[in-house]
Amino acid sequence: MPGTLTSDTLTSGTLTSGTEGDVILSDGSTVHVRSLDPTDRDDLVAFFDSLSAESRRRRFFRSIAHLEGALLDRLLDVDQVNAIAVVATRQGRIVGVGRAYRGGSDVGATGDPQSAEVSFAVDDGMHGLGIATILLEMLASRARVVGITRFDAITQADNGDMLRVFRTAGYRPTFKREPDDPGVIAISFPIDDDESVRTARWLREHSAAAASLRPLLRPESIAVIGVSSTRSSPGRIVMRELIAHGFTGPVYPVNPQAGTIDGVAAFARIKDIPSAIGPVDLAVVAVPAAHVLTVANECADAGVRGLLVLSSGFAESGPEGRADQEALVAVCRRSGMRLIGPNCLGIITTDPLVSAYAMFTGLDVLPGGVALMSQSGAIAITMTSLATRRGVGFSSVVSVGNKADVSGNDLLEYWVDDESTDVIALYLESFGNPRRFARIARQVGRKKPIIAIKAARSSAGAKAAASHTAALTASDATVDALFRQAGVLRVDDPGELLLLAAALERTTLPTGRRVAIVGNAGGLGILMADALACEQLALAELASDTVAALRAHAPSHAAVTNPVDLTATVSATQFGAALRVVLDDPGIDAVVCVYVPVRADEAQPTFAVIADTTRDSTKPVLLLSDEGAAESGDVSKIAIAATPREAALVLARLAERAEWLARPHDTDLPIPEEVIERIRELVEHNRHQNETGWLPSTTAFEIFRLAGIPTATPVTADDAEQAAEAATTMGFPVCVKAANPTLMHKSDIGAVHVGLRDEFGVVCAFQSIEQALGEAMQGVIVQPVVPPGVEMIIGIENDPQFGPLVVVGAGGRTAELWRDTTVHLAPVNFAEADLMIRSLRSHPLLTGFRGAPPADRDALIDAVVRLAQLAVDVPDIAELDANPVIVHPHGVVAVDVKVRAARNPNAERDTTRIMR
């Protein structure tokens, strides 16, 4: 496979782009899928000769003892347009073949050029692993590109495996018995990549990815390779930790000198472990980097299912190390092993049915419901140490190191169905494939919350670009958009992450953002109120009944408005009664208990009352107290914040999750497919108009018109006379501007003249622009003047890492000065577009600021959704910029439009919409 092998080149079940790659099967092993090549002649013969007689009969409808002659030549005659063929290989050996013949069959019959006949053959020992389904998906993806819309097949009625392939792939096949031979069934189905196909694909991918990680996270046997006599060596520490924590399976130390290590018999090589024991699930590799590749090959030969490579000296060390890392991954791919690391601390699974502490730090972690993945070993140590002090426990801890294979994407797929895991926590320094992360996280997040720290928030990596839109997007804003859309809760440090994880485990989600504060420290209550406001949380107004009840239960000098200050003299009984009254108020969505122990004899009783009062609460409750509160067994089921800021941040994230879960997640597609196809043709036809890729202005406006977004329709003019004639025809007043699509900030360079009311003014404007720009003006465009309204900017950019993005914000000449914008990954539905616009500081301008008539927000929302669809469905639009877009009380009008086109090698049109 070309390029660097990383975890994101490994696909769980399907290659929707139709390119070659490594794919996970349903049992967690992998195969490589690629095009059939004429050089495969001998391997193809060997594959078919290895099939059972029954399999050959089912494939060719007759007995074939040996593949040769004309039949072999036809199978190798592949042009990938009329005859498409793909193969699955393992260890270089073909284990599956899929073919599609346009309008015909193996014997070359002709028919409908939009249909193709498909056939498959799979190694007899690998039936039921999903290979045929993978080959079918790859064939369908390639067939769609060359204009094939339907697959046909014939199979024997007793070939249940093949019948199941078509059903489980998500297609809607029709089955019909051949009238002349009732033992033969004809199958036909469209190969559209519709919702049912995408759903079936996601389920297969999810199941395969999860299965591939079980040998690593729930191993039944572990070999530790590189266990030396030095007690402080990583391999020896891992061995000792596995034994000390009671790993439930056998542990096999591997050392060239063999002997006995920590009372366990060692083996000189992995291959020396008796075959009667069965293949080892997980091999922990703790040898110098120079020997890792040899060990990996030995593990592959021994049938090991997963590697955990602790050794450093790979990609993190430079080009040579990167090459060694790629070679290591290649060994794993060829053999079907999954790999964690290299350059990592190890893994921990606390489930008592497994109890695998394969980490060389000697950490003791509390068992619990949080699963943690960290790209940094130091962060993993920091988090687990802090978690122990705060009483937070883990189901799994995975240090992924260089993330050469297993990544956060894979772990999300595994943890979503792990019964021991309630909350997923990630420390990320980079994304391998953020688009895949977003798709997976959206699915996982609906079942379990995901919290993430994403390091490198600075804008140092933001690139300069030649459009407003690109200039207004920055890497960290894009990460925020990804997390926001995928439902990932972002925090900034380990303490925040652990507190939020504890809150998600121990309390409920709020139904709104109204918060009450009940405490015994007035100063902290005030600080808490300030912190809530910073997080867009509302200080709730207590009902009159609540205030009256508080007066009855609280100390006489207590303040019974929100924040409720019960004073330092409050007893445990009074605190509990007041807290119960506030929780019963229907106008309150969440409560913060502020408790500072004043007298030692009251602390424990008060903690006990707080725990008892909140135990069955349907509203989230956080405790703001000192670190000693965590040591109280009474409040071990309550999330405890150390500062008002922490408490407010956690409540805000709980509210965000509740709002995300309640939000519609379907994607609306307002532009018909035939219109999208016309826009694609326009983009392709005009893509080479100039070396920068900027399309002619008239083409850019035509794209908007086709997309259903109103524009101030322009007329081009090459001289002053044509400009004056165009203005007279459309009616005054008009605007005249330079037509050159590459010009930025036209008004700053004298390239725009607005409000011209007669032919003389138009002629003067043309001459002025010509004098300022010369030939660089490339003629002018004449437009009708649009009545004033709210100036906005909308646009799209195709980011090479994150894919298509859509931006909306305050527009006009000062757009880049104020930078009041928000960015989302495309596609965007109407609800998401509405939230984008509401998040802007300039949003009040759209709602009727200072007596102005309200602008048509719905029309702006519709325009954003349409642009987002363009970003996905026309991936060769590299940048699109509409600034300003004037929003009126009854619609929107795009006044200035720029579009840059470029071939997008990373287009994922078939996969971007998966499960939205």
Side-chain angles (χ1 to χ4, degrees):
M1 185 173 182
T4 302
L5 287 165
T6 70
S7 61
D8 297 295
T9 63
L10 184 60
T11 303
S12 307
T14 309
L15 289 165
T16 51
S17 62
T19 57
E20 70 173 272
D22 300 287
V23 186
I24 308 174
L25 303 180
S26 62
D27 68 344
S29 63
T30 62
V31 293
H32 187 79
V33 183
R34 59 173 174 80
S35 299
L36 178 69
D37 188 88
T39 61
D40 288 322
R41 187 181 190 93
D42 292 342
D43 293 335
L44 191 64
V45 171
F47 167 69
F48 277 106
D49 285 357
S50 71
L51 297 178
S52 65
E54 178 63 13
S55 291
R56 289 197 295 270
R57 179 188 69 82
R58 287 180 169 181
R59 171 61 180 83
F60 296 109
F61 281 69
R62 64 185 188 274
S63 297
I64 294 179
H66 180 65
L67 189 64
E68 59 186 354
L71 178 57
L72 176 58
D73 292 337
R74 282 197 296 273
L75 293 177
L76 288 165
D77 184 15
V78 176
D79 61 11
Q80 301 299 349
V81 174
N82 297 303
I84 306 170
V86 293
V87 295
T89 66
R90 177 176 286 177
Q91 297 279 45
R93 182 176 67 88
I94 293 177
V95 295
V97 178
R99 301 182 60 81
Y101 286 86
R102 185 194 294 268
S105 66
D106 285 2
V107 293
T110 59
D112 183 355
Q114 289 189 312
S115 71
E117 184 174 314
V118 292
S119 58
F120 306 94
V122 175
D123 183 283
D124 287 281
M126 302 186 72
H127 286 187
L129 300 183
I131 293 177
T133 304
I134 292 164
L135 297 174
L136 172 62
E137 283 287 348
M138 192 170 183
L139 290 172
S141 179
R142 293 190 174 188
R144 286 192 294 269
V145 172
V146 297
I148 296 171
T149 62
R150 190 182 76 249
F151 276 173
D152 302 314
I154 55 172
T155 188
Q156 292 162 342
D158 63 350
N159 192 354
D161 290 343
M162 190 53 58
L163 297 176
R164 278 190 294 274
V165 166
F166 297 120
R167 287 194 183 100
T168 58
Y171 296 109
R172 297 180 178 86
T174 58
F175 300 94
K176 182 180 179 181
R177 289 187 181 271
E178 291 288 336
D180 297 333
D181 188 350
V184 173
I185 295 178
I187 305 165
S188 182
F189 54 91
I191 57 172
D192 298 333
D193 194 45
D194 60 18
E195 190 68 20
S196 65
V197 173
R198 293 192 293 269
T199 300
R201 179 189 307 144
W202 184 84
L203 291 172
R204 291 194 305 274
E205 292 177 351
H206 164 67
S207 177
S212 73
L213 294 194
R214 288 190 191 102
L216 294 99
L217 294 177
R218 297 191 71 86
E220 296 182 4
S221 57
I222 298 177
V224 184
I225 303 173
V227 182
S228 74
S229 58
T230 304
R231 293 188 61 81
S232 61
S233 65
R236 189 68 177 273
I237 293 172
V238 169
M239 182 76 187
R240 194 161 59 243
E241 289 294 303
L242 287 169
I243 295 172
H245 287 90
F247 174 59
T248 55
V251 180
Y252 308 111
V254 177
N255 182 289
Q257 282 73 47
T260 300
I261 298 175
D262 290 332
V264 181
F267 298 89
R269 295 283 186 272
I270 188 79
K271 66 179 181 180
D272 297 332
I273 298 175
S275 58
I277 294 175
V280 170
D281 272 349
L282 175 63
V284 180
V285 180
V287 301
H291 302 295
V292 168
L293 197 59
T294 299
V295 168
N297 277 299
E298 292 176 351
C299 288
D301 293 340
V304 172
R305 300 182 66 191
L307 291 186
L308 170 60
V309 178
L310 309 179
S311 317
S312 58
F314 289 90
E316 81 283 0
S317 65
E320 290 186 9
R322 179 171 295 279
D324 290 342
Q325 182 169 302
E326 291 179 7
L328 171 62
V329 175
V331 170
C332 293
R333 298 288 166 82
R334 285 197 303 269
S335 62
M337 292 187 295
R338 297 305 307 270
L339 164 69
I340 292 178
N343 186 35
C344 69
L345 291 180
I347 60 174
I348 293 174
T349 297
T350 64
D351 185 337
L353 297 178
V354 180
S355 195
Y357 283 66
M359 191 171 281
F360 71 85
T361 62
L363 283 176
D364 277 328
V365 302
L366 298 174
V370 180
L372 171 65
M373 185 221 80
S374 177
Q375 276 187 255
S376 162
I379 294 294
I381 293 171
T382 299
M383 283 199 197
T384 50
S385 299
L386 182 59
T388 298
R389 294 198 299 272
R390 293 194 172 189
V392 178
F394 295 93
S395 59
S396 308
V397 178
V398 181
S399 165
V400 293
N402 291 1
K403 217 171 44 165
D405 176 27
V406 172
S407 69
N409 294 343
D410 300 297
L411 290 164
L412 287 176
E413 299 270 27
Y414 175 83
W415 281 326
V416 68
D417 291 326
D418 178 30
E419 294 182 358
S420 301
T421 297
D422 300 314
V423 179
I424 298 169
L426 308 173
Y427 171 77
L428 301 168
E429 293 177 351
S430 64
F431 289 104
N433 186 335
R435 286 164 286 186
R436 181 171 174 244
F437 174 87
R439 291 195 296 272
I440 294 171
R442 272 194 294 267
Q443 292 305 308
V444 174
R446 292 174 197 174
K447 188 174 181 180
K448 294 181 181 180
I450 304 169
I451 313 170
I453 297 175
K454 172 61 176 68
R457 269 190 175 272
S458 72
S459 59
K463 64 183 180 66
S467 78
H468 297 279
T469 300
L472 291 171
T473 58
S475 58
D476 196 60
T478 307
V479 172
D480 271 340
L482 184 155
F483 285 165
R484 188 165 53 247
Q485 286 177 273
V488 177
L489 304 172
R490 187 174 190 178
V491 295
D492 288 332
D493 63 54
E496 293 173 357
L497 184 147
L498 291 170
L499 177 58
L500 180 54
L504 287 164
E505 267 199 294
R506 300 171 185 178
T507 192
T508 59
L509 296 178
T511 56
R513 288 177 168 261
R514 301 166 300 177
V515 183
I517 303 166
V518 180
N520 71 337
L524 272 179
I526 295 170
L527 292 177
M528 189 68 243
D530 291 341
L532 293 176
C534 291
E535 292 292 340
Q536 287 75 54
L537 296 166
L539 194 64
E541 183 175 348
L542 302 181
S544 57
D545 291 347
T546 302
V547 173
L550 285 172
R551 286 198 179 101
H553 292 289
S556 58
H557 48 286
V560 293
T561 55
N562 196 12
V564 177
D565 180 11
L566 301 172
T567 74
T569 63
V570 65
S571 68
T573 302
Q574 289 173 318
F575 200 112
L579 179 57
R580 188 171 294 107
V581 166
V582 171
L583 283 170
D584 288 341
D585 190 322
I588 291 170
D589 302 308
V591 175
V592 179
C593 286
V594 177
Y595 181 66
V596 178
V598 178
R599 302 193 310 274
D601 61 326
E602 283 290 337
Q604 195 61 38
T606 303
F607 284 138
V609 165
I610 292 173
D612 183 63
T613 304
T614 60
R615 183 170 292 111
D616 298 320
S617 174
T618 58
K619 300 174 182 179
V621 178
L622 260 64
L623 174 60
L624 176 59
S625 190
D626 61 18
E627 289 190 358
E631 300 172 2
S632 171
D634 294 306
V635 292
S636 62
K637 298 301 182 183
I638 303 176
I640 305 170
T643 67
R645 179 187 174 278
E646 270 193 352
L649 181 142
V650 167
L651 282 179
R653 297 299 178 271
L654 294 179
E656 285 175 18
R657 174 154 177 79
E659 291 159 358
W660 182 81
L661 289 171
R663 191 182 308 158
H665 290 279
D666 59 309
T667 298
D668 311 280
L669 303 174
I671 310 175
E673 178 61 30
E674 59 269 20
V675 176
I676 289 293
E677 189 56 43
R678 171 61 182 143
I679 294 173
R680 289 193 197 109
E681 292 171 357
L682 267 179
V683 170
E684 178 59 28
H685 178 72
N686 291 277
R687 189 160 55 88
H688 305 291
Q689 289 293 313
N690 61 66
E691 62 182 14
T692 65
W694 292 103
L695 303 186
S697 295
T698 51
T699 302
F701 277 95
E702 175 67 4
I703 289 172
F704 261 59
R705 186 191 67 78
L706 288 169
I709 303 172
T711 66
T713 306
V715 176
T716 60
D718 294 327
D719 55 43
E721 184 178 347
Q722 288 181 358
E725 182 179 348
T728 301
T729 301
M730 71 176 55
F732 295 98
V734 299
C735 169
V736 176
K737 61 183 72 171
N740 186 341
T742 66
L743 296 176
M744 290 288 295
H745 308 298
K746 293 179 183 178
S747 59
D748 294 350
I749 57 175
V752 177
H753 292 257
V754 182
L756 307 174
R757 297 186 174 277
D758 52 37
E759 292 186 6
F760 179 74
V762 171
V763 171
C764 290
F766 185 98
Q767 293 171 344
S768 174
I769 296 171
E770 187 175 41
Q771 183 177 2
L773 300 181
E775 293 183 359
M777 69 187 291
Q778 297 182 10
V780 299
I781 60 174
V782 183
Q783 293 174 282
V785 170
V786 175
V790 181
E791 292 189 345
M792 303 295 291
I793 180 174
I794 57 176
I796 58 179
E797 181 190 8
N798 235 313
D799 185 275
Q801 184 182 23
F802 289 88
L805 310 174
V806 61
V807 61
V808 61
R813 297 181 63 181
T814 58
E816 292 173 14
L817 173 64
W818 300 119
R819 299 185 69 86
D820 178 23
T821 59
T822 183
V823 179
H824 268 46
L825 278 69
V828 171
N829 63 30
F830 287 99
E832 291 168 334
D834 181 37
L835 287 173
M836 290 178 70
I837 294 166
R838 288 181 186 276
S839 71
L840 297 170
R841 298 192 306 276
S842 54
H843 178 252
L845 296 176
L846 296 168
T847 60
F849 185 68
R850 284 194 159 182
D856 192 342
R857 291 181 69 262
D858 289 342
L860 180 60
I861 290 169
D862 182 73
V864 172
V865 172
R866 289 173 183 272
L867 278 195
Q869 184 181 347
L870 283 185
V872 173
D873 286 350
V874 191
D876 285 351
I877 294 179
E879 294 178 53
L880 182 151
D881 181 277
N883 182 36
V885 172
I886 308 298
V887 189
H888 297 290
H890 304 291
V892 299
V893 180
V895 173
D896 197 33
V897 177
K898 294 163 62 68
V899 177
R900 184 174 69 84
R903 177 64 66 192
N904 184 354
N906 299 317
E908 289 195 17
R909 179 170 177 264
D910 285 341
T911 59
T912 304
R913 294 183 188 165
I914 286 180
M915 296 300 292
R916 292 283 284 125

